[in-house]
Amino acid sequence: MANVATRFMLTVPVDMAEKAEAIKKNLFYDKPYAEMYRQLIQLGMDEIQKKAAKENRCERAS
């Protein structure tokens, strides 16, 4: 099965762009920007899901 991808453009504040540049330089120096952003977005989505699941468990326990 072929991988299907969607392309989109993202505009971020200067401070966020500076942080992304530092991450690229320190952790993703040998990887494309696209790979870095894919991993950052995936990590963020995973964290949001974990937080939502935890909050949902807390509400049920109440």
Side-chain angles (χ1 to χ4, degrees):
M1 184 173 150
N3 288 336
V4 178
T6 300
R7 176 178 276 186
F8 67 94
M9 183 183 296
L10 178 66
T11 303
V12 298
V14 173
D15 63 323
M16 191 179 290
E18 290 170 350
K19 289 176 185 177
E21 285 295 324
I23 290 170
K24 171 72 169 129
K25 186 176 183 178
N26 294 319
L27 300 173
F28 291 88
Y29 56 88
D30 60 341
K31 304 276 192 266
Y33 275 92
E35 179 61 25
M36 177 188 77
Y37 283 112
R38 280 192 289 269
Q39 287 192 33
L40 290 172
I41 290 167
Q42 187 64 57
L43 287 168
M45 291 188 302
D46 292 347
E47 190 62 31
I48 288 169
Q49 287 180 328
K50 286 179 195 175
K51 186 176 180 180
K54 183 178 178 181
E55 288 174 357
N56 197 15
R57 284 193 303 266
C58 290
E59 287 176 6
R60 286 184 194 163
S62 298

